[in-house]
Structures are given as C-alpha cells and as structure tokens.
Amino acid sequence: MGWARKILRVNLSNGTVKSEPLNMDWAQKYLGQRGLATKYLVEEIDPKTDPLGPGNKLIFATGPLTGTAASTGGRYSVITKGALTNAIACSNSGGYFGAELKFAGWDMIIFEGKAPKPVYITVVDDTCTIHDAAEIWGTSVWHTDEWIKKKHQDPMMHISAIGVAGEKQVLYSCIVNDLHRAAGRSGVGAVMGSKNIKAVAVRGTGGVKVKDGHEFLKATAAGKKVLQENAVTGAGLPSFGTQVLMNVINEAGAMPTRNHRQVQFEGAHAISAEAMATPRKTDGKPNLLTNQACFGCTIACGRISKIDEKHFTIQNKPQYWHASGGLEYEAAWALGSNTGVDDLDALTFVNFVCNEQGIDPISFGATVSAAMELYDLGLLTKEQTGGIELKFGSTEALVKCAELTGKAEGFGKELGLGSLRLCTKYGRPDLSMSVKGQEFPAYDSRGIQGMGLTYATSNRGACHLRSYTVSSEILGVPVKTDPLTTEGKPALVKAFQDATAAVDSTGLCVFTTFAWTLNDIAPQVDAACEGGWSPERMLETGERIWNMERVFNMRAGFTAKDDNLPPRLVKEPAQTGPAKGLVNGLDKMLPEYYQLRGWTTDGVPTNETLSRLAV
Amino acid sequence: MLKALVIDPGKCTGCKQCEMACSFENEGVFNVSKSRIRVFDFHTEARFVPYTCTQCAEAWCQQACPVNAITTDRASGVKIVHENLCVGCKVCTIACPFGTINYNAATHKVAKCDLCQGNPACADACPTGAITFQDVEQTGFDKMKVWATQAAHAATHQGPNTPAAKA
C-alpha cells in the first residue's frame, strides 16, 4: 500500500476522463512521483515532441508516502517535457495539494492533448469533471483559487493553478498550489497553459492506507525525532527558513552577484534572514510574521511575510496588504543579489507577484539580471525595454519587470523568453547564466566546485535540487568536503543525484536530507509499501531514474556538449572571497563522472549500464 | 485528575500532523477530512488555529440527543458517542455552539473527539507543543505565567528583592 494504485487519465482534446490501475511492476522499479511519472512520460511521448504542442503530456504525481503521517509527506511533482529546456522536467511542490489528490484516491493524473478552449478540472474523490474556465482565464492564481472555492462552495478544496504568465506561456512560468507553493522550474506552467488548463481543484474524503500501520508509526516517529534533534532541520530552518544560507553563502564567496560578475554581494545582510526578523525602521514591524509548515512537515521552513503598507510597491494596492508567502533563499538571491537590489520589502513584493501570476523567481531574477548586463553593455536600449532604465541595483526597474512579466506585457514578453533566448536575441548568448536553457540557482560554482558538475549534468537544466553538494561542501552534511577543490566531487555528485532521485520519488521533501539519509527514509517507505525497500534498493532506484532521464534527454537531442557551463564560470576567475582566482574545474570532473556513471566518454549510458539497472 | 487538551495557536505551524494522527487513531487511515481536530488556516493573518471539542461539563450535544447516544465518562469527563445507539439525526451538530461534533457520511453516525481514551494522539503528534494534554484546572497557567513574568520584571525594575524590601 502507500500507493492508491489508481491513475486518472484526462484527455483534453476529446474531453474524456478515465481511471486506470497503476502499473505495479513499474511502481516496484520506480517507486512513485518523480521516478514513476517519468517512466509513464518516457513510455508515452515522443522525446522530440514540441513541449508546448498537444503531443506533450503533463503529469501530476504523488509518491507512496504522500498523504501519510511521515514528516513532510505531502509532496507532489509535475512531470513533463520542459518548455524552458526541451529536456525532461520534474518540478516538486509542497503545500497541501498533493496530499489531497491522494485522499481523493489517485496516485497521479495524466493530462494529454489540448482542450479546445480554456478549462479547469475538479477531482472530487472518484468524480473528475472538466469545466469551462472562461470566467477565470486571464486572472491570477490568487483570484482563481478564491473563485473556484466559492463556485463549488467547498473551502476545503486544494487548488493548483497557473496565472496569466502560464496562459501566455512565459517560458519559466510555474504551477502554484495553495497560493504560494509552486512546482517552480523548467516552465511546467507554460505546458499547462498550452493545454488550456487553468486550474486543477481536488478534494478527497478517502484515506491513505499503509502496509503495516504499527511499523509505519514507529518508523515515522523515529524519523521525526532525527529531524527535531538536528541543528538544521530542528532549529535553523524553522527559525530562519532557507534564508539561513544568505550570509553563509556570501561569506563562502559563492553568492552570484549581478549576473555572476561578482561572487559576493555587499547588500546581502539587508536581504538576509536576520533582516527579515528585524523590525523595519519605517513602521517598527518585522517583514517576517511566522513560519509555516507544508502538509505533514515537522520542519516548517516556509516564510509568511507582510510588506509595510506604505512601501512604494503596494501603495493603493490593498490586495497586497495581507500576509503571504515570503522570501526563500533562492528568491531573495535571484531577485536581490543577482540584480543588485537590496530593498527587502521590494523583493517580497516581487515574490508575491511571482506567486500571484505563477513565475519562477529564480529564472525570472536571473533573466532580469542578464538583461541588466545587456543594458549595461549598451546592447539593450531604453527604447527596447519600453522606457525602463534597466540598471543593476534599480529597485524600480525590477518591480516594473515583475509586473510586466507576470502578465507577459510589453518588455515582459521578452523577459518571459528566459535568459538564453533573450541573450541570443541581443547577440550575447554567453551572458545567459544557464545550462540546457535553465538559469542557475543561488550558488556560484567557482566557490562551490561540486555545484559546477551538478549544474552541468542536471537532467532538467541548471538546478540545485538534483544534487545539493552544498550540503557537504559548505555545511558538512553528511561529511565535510573542501568546496574549492574538484577532487572527489564526481563521486559526491553521483551519490547525491541518485539519492535525491529516490527521495523525490517517495512523496517526502528533499530538505529532510539535511538530517536524514536513506537509512532513515527506507524504513518509512518499507513500512508503507510492499516490496522490501532497503536503503540499497532505494539508491539503485535513484540511479535507474537518473539514467532513464538521461536517455530521454539524449533521444530529445541532447549530447555531452550540453553538459557544460557558460564561459564566465570556467574562464573568469572569482575576484573576491575564499575562491578568489578560481574558475570552475568542470573539465577535471566530467570525464571521471562519466566513468563512474558507466557512460561512454561521450556521456552515453552503455548498454551494460542500462541492462544492469534494467532501465 | 481530569485532563484537557490545551491549544496554543501561537505555536501552530499548520502541518496537520494532529489531523493525521487523529484520523489514523480513529479511522485506521490517513486523511485530514476524517479528523476530529481541525487546523484552520488564516493565511492572510499568518495564523494557524487547531480546534476541537472541549468536552463541556453540561454538553449541548448530549442534551439535544433524542436517543441518549451521548454519555459522560465519569472518570475523564469525556462525552462519548455510542455508535450503536446513534441514529444519525444530526440534531447534536445543530445544538453544539462550537461545531465540534460532526456527521460522518461513511458511517451515517456522528463523530467527535473522545480524547483517545486518555491518550490523545493529536497531542502526541504535535511537533511544536501547540497541542498539549494537561490538568484541566491548570490550563490557563501558561498564559498567567506570561503576565506574571511581566509583573516580576516590573518589580525587579523597581528595586532588589531583599527581605527588607518585603517588610
């Protein structure tokens, strides 16, 4: 058990819905969520299909522990071919939506085809209905959430929706659930928009069962104790959120600043966790009001913030005068340090807009930052930006860009292309700080060498959540390694990639791995699911998933040439901090990584490797 | 000693572990919609508030029940619904001013918190201490202590606590 053993298939072209049994042979090989849904996707779509065409499919998938009492057991993922990357996309979200989908009795929903006109979908236990979305098309995520609950007179529904950005296919638009939790990266929102799906609302009155209730409660209680006693998950994350990293990474000289021109930001303290908790000079109240947990989470790292009502961004805009999802580290960095802006309330406002209209703050911030560099170099002019003075450090410019991109209006349409397409258009593709078209997150790989290999080889394009070696290189979890050397990093990256792929397939949050290893997770999975899930089997499952994703990408047209980094990171040394004088040593790591993976020198998984893993 | 659930919304993170524990204890499955304790999310105010039956001494639900299906457990003070007697008329759900006794469509009976026979699963599951199970006569003591602390600090500010000062 753990699994509901049922999937819902919604064909939007025909307007049909049907229930299918979950393929349990595949569940035994790929577990759930990321792994299992990717298996369905690679079996069902042509890897070369246009991600925004009707041939692509969009899968909402839970894991076997989603909707159980396991700590953090509320995750779901969106799996599709990414609009931003043309590669496999898998974006993971918390909140309460995933658990509710499971309560309704479904492991996953597969959306296929394209609706002839905008629709939204309700799933209430066994009943799935496709509704006309004419009244909410063109409105925000926040409005859609409120409207659907009112329309169906059910405040207990949980809703995943796209904003105007997703409708207009901003290439890094995301799918937002529960107002401010998001399947954020790779443009999964644009895929949803291309299918004319505005929202999915779920409500479930059934229950999730586990294989052995007694063992399960024992295993999950042991897990919760480990989280509670760990310094990061028990104290750092609940108190400071992921923003606990801001000053740490800045001091490590790994804080990308102004489109990675610098590796330390002089304004870091002003946008840090400490700043969020300090009363503002203007109204004497702090930006941060409380922390919030996602479903079942005993860590509770979420930030709930409120902007000073007199701040210029929200004057006369009462819709922003309430508390909502505040800055996580990635957003604070991308919107702040990477654009050179250190106005905390302005960044919070831009973050609100990202949630309201469904855009990924990482790719958005990085794209604005790339555009600022183009502007700085005179390659992009004020006429072309529609009158915006796009200077590094300009709060007004950042705010304007967010409002325009959220609705894909004016210069926002160009920003909505993402940094690679934008920089290519203006003649400098090398200024896009991205891999496979997806922008870097908040760690400069000159100061944290393992992250260079992580980004270059990530199957969904540059991403920190595929192998978070920061954990080892900076925080010393599970063992401390030197962030400034490439030695040993290929093995470290492979180990993190495989373990993370397994965790992403369970329904649990990857943040648990600051405290948990697979030795803590496997007993929880094993008590819930049939099949004998040992840590070794989990790791092998992760490796199988990694190779399956890699094979999909190769069939989609990616080669070893795409396992790269922008020239800036391998040619321009860091100017300050511990990494001063260093570039990323990707060339030293990649061959060893391929070898450890059992791939050819061209990065192709060998037949031997694929048959060993039974991909 | 009678004990009661004490809820401190200031400590709640909205994780719903209490709801999961309750549904599993009472229904054998995980689903918040089967929980007898509910966490309400006032997200625009940044507040999460767990709420459940307070086991009234003179309970409206008990008074309203036409078939005497709700009784009081002498030792614990808990109001218990006897499913074999309950006819699912829902009159108790109307009578309860707090809304904490509810109809279960699957069983056609009403359900309410019964403090898990003296060991409430929700309090055990709460990771932040927002729900605790305490002596019913001392449920306000934590709040009193907060105010007493202020008085203590004020007095300290006025001067040292010497025997002479007390004379």
Side-chain angles (χ1 to χ4, degrees), chain A residues 96 205-206 208 224 293 296-297 323, chain B residues 13-15 17 30-31 34 43-44:
Chain A
Y96 305 97
T205 62
V208 178
K224 287 169 193 168
C297 176
Chain B
T13 62
C15 77
Q17 282 286 348
F30 295 108
N31 185 342
K34 297 193 182 300
H43 72 274
T44 57

Side-chain angles (χ1 to χ4, degrees), chain A residues 143-204:
Chain A
H143 175 266
T144 298
D145 194 280
E146 190 182 351
W147 187 91
I148 291 177
K149 284 174 182 163
K150 205 174 274 179
K151 172 91 177 175
H152 294 271
Q153 297 186 8
D154 189 350
M156 289 180 70
M157 276 182 155
H158 289 284
I159 295 163
S160 276
I162 56 171
V164 175
E167 293 174 12
K168 295 197 178 170
Q169 294 167 23
V170 165
L171 291 177
Y172 45 81
S173 51
C174 47
I175 301 174
V176 180
N177 59 284
D178 300 292
L179 302 174
H180 47 71
R181 301 290 110 195
R185 303 221 69 196
S186 313
V188 296
V191 176
M192 186 155 154
S194 76
K195 300 197 170 307
N196 267 331
I197 308 171
K198 180 65 183 174
V200 181
V202 295
R203 175 88 151 85

Side-chain angles (χ1 to χ4, degrees), chain A residues 67-69 96 103 156 179 204-209 224 290 292-293 295-297 323, chain B residues 13-17 20 24 29-34 38 41 43-46 48 127:
Chain A
T68 69
Y96 305 97
F103 297 153
M156 289 180 70
L179 302 174
T205 62
V208 178
K209 291 188 181 138
K224 287 169 193 168
T290 186
Q292 180 178 7
F295 182 92
C297 176
Chain B
T13 62
C15 77
K16 297 178 183 273
Q17 282 286 348
M20 303 296 275
F24 194 75
V29 293
F30 295 108
N31 185 342
V32 295
S33 78
K34 297 193 182 300
R38 290 297 171 95
D41 177 353
H43 72 274
T44 57
E45 293 168 50
F48 314 98

Side-chain angles (χ1 to χ4, degrees), chain A residues 415-432:
Chain A
L415 290 171
L417 296 171
S419 66
L420 182 58
R421 290 165 180 87
L422 183 82
C423 291
T424 303
K425 180 172 174 179
Y426 290 97
R428 290 291 301 273
D430 59 303
L431 294 182
S432 166

